[in-house]
Amino acid sequence: MTPPALADSRPLRGDLLYTPPPPNPLTITQFVDSNSAELLLGQFAAAGYDLAAVRGGLSTVPRLYASVLPKDLRRLEAADSRKEAFIGAMLPLVLMANEEILQYRQRVERLADKVDAGELLNAEELTWLRSVAALYETDPWDFEELLLRVDALPVALTLAQAIEESGWGTSRYARDGNALFGQRTWSAGPGMTARKDGKALDHRARAFADLMHSVRAYMHNLNTHPAYKKFRAERQRQRDAGQLLDGGVLAGFLGRYAENEAYAENLRRLIRHNDLDRYESARLASGAVAERVTVLAKRGG
């Protein structure tokens, strides 16, 4: 296990150790990449993807995988259209990333039950358990702690942080680096010069291969960083009470993410004003492999 002194020195927004895996093609039905927000919205309509129906519990969320955000999001005249394009692109990714984590969690639970019953793990199970424990930075035999970490993130809170940190997907970091959550890097890996008031900062903004990598890295950060231990404990308390995860409550445990006392209330305001909590019970449509569909506007179009 990581010594406390080393763990406490880890950057609050940094994630230097974890490189997310590529997307699992078995769970994706369609890739939708577009440098035009209007064309992206058209793809949503063609797929029968209606956020109002999702919020109302009348429709599932299609497995649309947006690798990048349209470069012209800010040019959409209607604010509602900008929001629909951003949330529409993000929601399937958040749900798919959570689905992956929950698949890991279910297997950890099965192995924990097996050990509790006095059964021995076979070589494959033991190797897998050790690899997951290493990924989540804990003891493979500490199932209680492992299950505190291997868990989904609240959908509403994840969307709210993406909105807050990326300016609804219009920030330079989101456009050029697929960076949605303001994560930082001090290493020689992929990154962009971070600036404030025109001055370069001592860290760089971490860049990602695509949007899903950014989502996964953000989730891994909250699931492993010592600063978010109370966040994970509250999440487990809500789980034990049989509740849907409450992003507004859990936002109160992320003050150190921004080291800003108003940060939690900003996130709660975004959740309230955009009905983000109504996506908490959203479910993905069943998935299968499909041909990649890429939609690109012509240059200058």
Side-chain angles (χ1 to χ4, degrees):
M1 296 181 66
T2 306
L6 187 59
D8 289 344
S9 67
R10 185 172 152 197
L12 293 169
R13 288 167 174 252
D15 196 351
L16 308 181
L17 303 177
Y18 178 58
T19 300
N24 179 358
L26 296 178
T27 63
I28 298 167
T29 54
Q30 191 175 86
F31 286 80
V32 282
D33 291 339
S34 175
N35 58 17
S36 162
E38 290 284 2
L39 287 178
L40 185 65
L41 290 171
Q43 281 293 296
F44 292 166
Y49 184 18
D50 183 342
L51 287 176
V54 171
R55 289 193 300 272
L58 303 175
S59 176
T60 56
V61 178
R63 293 173 181 269
L64 301 178
Y65 191 108
S67 300
V68 298
L69 290 170
K71 302 295 186 184
D72 64 349
L73 263 179
R74 66 174 66 203
R75 291 189 217 143
L76 282 176
E77 293 184 8
D80 287 347
S81 294
R82 289 196 298 274
K83 292 181 178 183
E84 183 179 352
F86 182 78
I87 294 175
M90 291 301 305
L91 182 58
L93 301 182
V94 173
L95 293 177
M96 285 191 282
N98 271 339
E99 180 181 66
E100 292 168 353
I101 294 171
L102 290 176
Q103 288 171 352
Y104 274 55
R105 181 180 177 85
Q106 289 167 2
R107 190 171 184 189
V108 172
E109 289 174 332
R110 289 196 297 270
L111 296 184
D113 289 342
K114 188 173 181 178
V115 170
D116 286 345
E119 299 179 45
L120 295 176
L121 303 186
N122 61 41
E124 188 275 333
E125 290 170 333
L126 187 55
T127 298
W128 184 87
L129 178 62
R130 285 173 172 162
S131 69
V132 171
L135 179 63
Y136 282 88
E137 303 174 21
T138 191
D139 188 321
W141 300 110
D142 189 348
F143 287 108
E144 182 178 356
E145 180 62 28
L146 191 53
L147 289 170
L148 279 172
R149 297 179 180 222
V150 186
D151 201 354
L153 272 289
V155 175
L157 181 59
T158 303
L159 291 174
Q161 283 202 269
I163 293 165
E164 175 75 8
E165 298 290 342
S166 75
W168 289 96
T170 64
S171 72
R172 176 173 66 92
Y173 308 123
R175 294 194 316 270
D176 299 338
N178 298 314
L180 300 165
F181 298 95
Q183 288 183 274
R184 301 168 181 174
T185 181
W186 285 259
S187 72
M192 304 170 62
T193 301
R195 298 183 180 278
K196 184 176 182 179
D197 299 327
K199 297 180 180 179
L201 302 177
D202 63 352
H203 64 269
R204 292 187 300 152
R206 187 166 179 195
F208 296 90
D210 68 7
L211 298 175
M212 179 62 107
H213 280 67
S214 179
V215 172
R216 284 170 164 157
Y218 153 82
M219 290 185 172
H220 190 72
N221 192 32
L222 293 195
N223 277 335
T224 59
H225 198 295
Y228 310 120
K229 182 176 181 179
K230 291 182 178 179
F231 169 90
R232 297 189 290 269
E234 170 60 20
R235 177 178 59 184
Q236 187 60 50
R237 187 201 66 76
Q238 293 182 14
R239 287 247 184 259
D240 291 343
Q243 304 171 357
L244 282 176
L245 295 181
D246 189 325
V249 171
L250 285 164
F253 296 87
L254 295 183
R256 292 186 68 188
Y257 196 93
E259 300 178 317
N260 178 345
E261 292 182 2
Y263 189 68
E265 187 51 42
N266 289 344
L267 297 179
R268 293 188 185 110
R269 188 178 301 110
L270 284 169
I271 291 171
R272 288 195 305 270
H273 289 179
N274 297 284
D275 290 329
L276 300 182
D277 54 345
R278 295 178 66 186
Y279 294 114
E280 207 62 58
S281 57
R283 294 291 177 266
L284 285 164
S286 58
V289 177
E291 181 180 357
R292 181 177 182 124
V293 176
T294 301
V295 182
L296 295 172
K298 294 180 180 179
R299 290 186 179 274

